[in-house]
Amino acid sequence: MSFFHWLTSLPSDKFEAISEFAQAKLRVFNVTPFCLYLILAWHFNWQAVSPSVVIGAAGYIAYAFFWVLVVRFSLLDVTLRRTTAAILDQALPALGMYLAGFLAGLVAWVPALGSIGSGLRFGTRYTWLSSIVGGPLMATAFYFSSDWNTIPAVAGGIVLVNVLVPLYVVALVKKLEFAKREIELRAAHFEEATKHDYLTGLLNRAGFADELEDLFMPGAESREVNAVLLLDLDGFKAINDACGHAEGDQILKVVAQSLKNCVRISDKVARLGGDEFGILLRHIVDEKNAEAMVAKMLRAIADISLPRKDLRLGASFGICVMPHPDLSTYEDVLKVADSLMYTAKAAGKNQFRTLVTSAVAC
């Protein structure tokens, strides 16, 4: 492994510092080429560069590489390390502005870049710290520089850019992140709403389909016994016709609550449309367990208070116990459960039929 690759690669046990390490490497890549140019220009006499500028350039390169090592080996407490780096990222460029004069104009953006990077990676407080420290330091460097104090308007503009732009960028990013979270939250609420019935608050057909699809996902526990129940209310049309749709809607709400009261938290109840409901019983023992639950539901529905004494309310159930060799999709389950439910209804209503054999008659 080359020295450069070793220096710029993060050990496997340091992933919690990956953002800080990226910030440290940024210092190596953003100004080091310019500093090397100043050193070479002085050495080969390409242009007038004072020895103090060369010393400052070499010092910045040393700082950049040294700080990579500081982060790589966690030589300081993380808060102290980040705070010190934020201050040095402002102090050293300010010193460079003073020493190099107009030559440093090509990298006048470096303090702003460091401030933005620290703020986005470690928190807004580091951008504020950079601005509070960097603004006065750079203003002082410009004031005492024989070059920069001849163009105070330009110097003042550079100071304002390095102070205000990072604050604006970080504030804007935070605002965008907040807006993104709001959009994601609204999208999640909307998606959730599309899977629930507006009247009863139960799952709707789409939500119930999602629950059943999980039973057929690869890796689902094949030995886990579940039951899918489909029920259609008996006598509900008469209630609707005699008492009106408002009263019918109220009955549907009561039925929904009664069904929820009969099952466990892990079970799922859905209104599939009209007066048809679906129920998923998870982790049951066998079909007898499911049939006992259905008997409980039939009693609960029969106990519902109706607006008129001459009206009756019951339910017909179709029960599919799974896993079953002939039921491999959500559509298969609903088709068979629906057929069983109508068989129960045709046999006299207020009863159930259960699929327990390996042969499914459709």
Side-chain angles (χ1 to χ4, degrees), residues 19 50 95 100 124 138 152 158 170-171 184 187 203 212 219 228 243 256 261 263 298 302 317 355:
S19 294
S50 68
L95 178 62
T124 309
M138 187 167 289
I158 293 174
V170 171
E184 290 174 345
L203 292 172
L212 293 194
V228 177
C243 304
N261 292 341
V263 302
L298 286 171
F317 282 80
L355 175 70

Side-chain angles (χ1 to χ4, degrees), residues 251-267:
I251 293 297
L252 289 175
K253 292 179 183 179
V254 176
V255 170
Q257 188 59 51
S258 297
L259 294 175
K260 287 179 66 177
N261 292 341
C262 290
V263 302
R264 303 158 299 178
I265 295 177
S266 59
D267 301 326

Side-chain angles (χ1 to χ4, degrees), residues 2-248:
S2 67
F3 171 77
F4 182 77
H5 183 267
W6 171 84
L7 181 65
T8 58
S9 61
L10 195 64
S12 59
D13 60 342
K14 302 284 186 177
F15 280 116
E16 70 278 2
I18 191 168
S19 294
E20 190 178 0
F21 194 69
Q23 183 76 359
K25 289 195 294 183
L26 180 64
R27 297 184 189 95
V28 176
F29 295 123
N30 62 8
V31 182
T32 297
F34 176 74
C35 292
L36 287 174
Y37 167 77
L38 292 179
I39 294 172
L40 293 173
W42 170 77
H43 179 73
F44 292 106
N45 201 26
W46 292 339
Q47 68 181 90
V49 181
S50 68
S52 61
V53 172
V54 173
I55 294 172
Y60 184 87
I61 294 174
Y63 156 68
F65 277 89
F66 172 72
W67 210 258
V68 170
L69 294 175
V70 169
V71 175
R72 193 179 198 278
F73 294 106
S74 301
L75 298 181
L76 299 172
D77 171 75
V78 62
T79 302
L80 175 61
R81 193 167 63 232
R82 292 175 178 177
T83 301
T84 303
I87 294 173
L88 290 176
D89 283 347
Q90 302 301 314
L92 294 179
L95 178 62
M97 290 288 182
Y98 171 74
L99 294 176
F102 291 149
L103 272 175
L106 291 173
V107 287
W109 45 268
V110 168
L113 190 65
S115 180
I116 292 170
S118 295
L120 295 182
R121 287 185 168 114
F122 315 131
T124 309
R125 64 184 183 275
Y126 288 100
T127 298
W128 280 101
L129 173 64
S130 298
S131 297
I132 291 171
V133 171
L137 286 178
M138 187 167 289
T140 301
F142 286 156
Y143 180 79
F144 287 104
S145 169
S146 57
D147 283 347
W148 292 106
N149 62 20
T150 62
I151 48 172
V154 174
I158 293 174
V159 172
L160 290 176
V161 165
N162 281 284
V163 170
L164 298 180
V165 169
L167 293 176
Y168 173 74
V169 169
V170 171
L172 182 61
V173 169
K174 292 296 182 183
K175 186 174 182 179
L176 291 174
E177 289 177 350
F178 178 78
K180 181 182 177 182
R181 286 195 296 269
E182 284 289 308
I183 292 173
E184 290 174 345
L185 186 61
R186 290 179 183 179
H189 284 318
F190 177 77
E191 183 179 3
E192 190 68 15
T194 62
K195 295 181 179 181
H196 284 79
D197 175 52
Y198 73 95
L199 179 65
T200 62
L202 300 176
L203 292 172
N204 59 18
R205 185 174 290 271
F208 195 58
D210 284 349
E211 294 292 337
L212 293 194
E213 287 291 354
D214 288 344
L215 302 181
F216 306 104
M217 293 290 289
E221 189 61 55
S222 60
R223 295 183 181 179
E224 179 183 302
V225 180
N226 304 286
V228 177
L229 319 178
L230 214 61
L231 74 94
D232 190 77
L233 295 177
D234 299 324
F236 178 74
K237 185 177 183 302
I239 296 173
N240 238 0
D241 293 343
C243 304
H245 290 290
E247 190 65 44

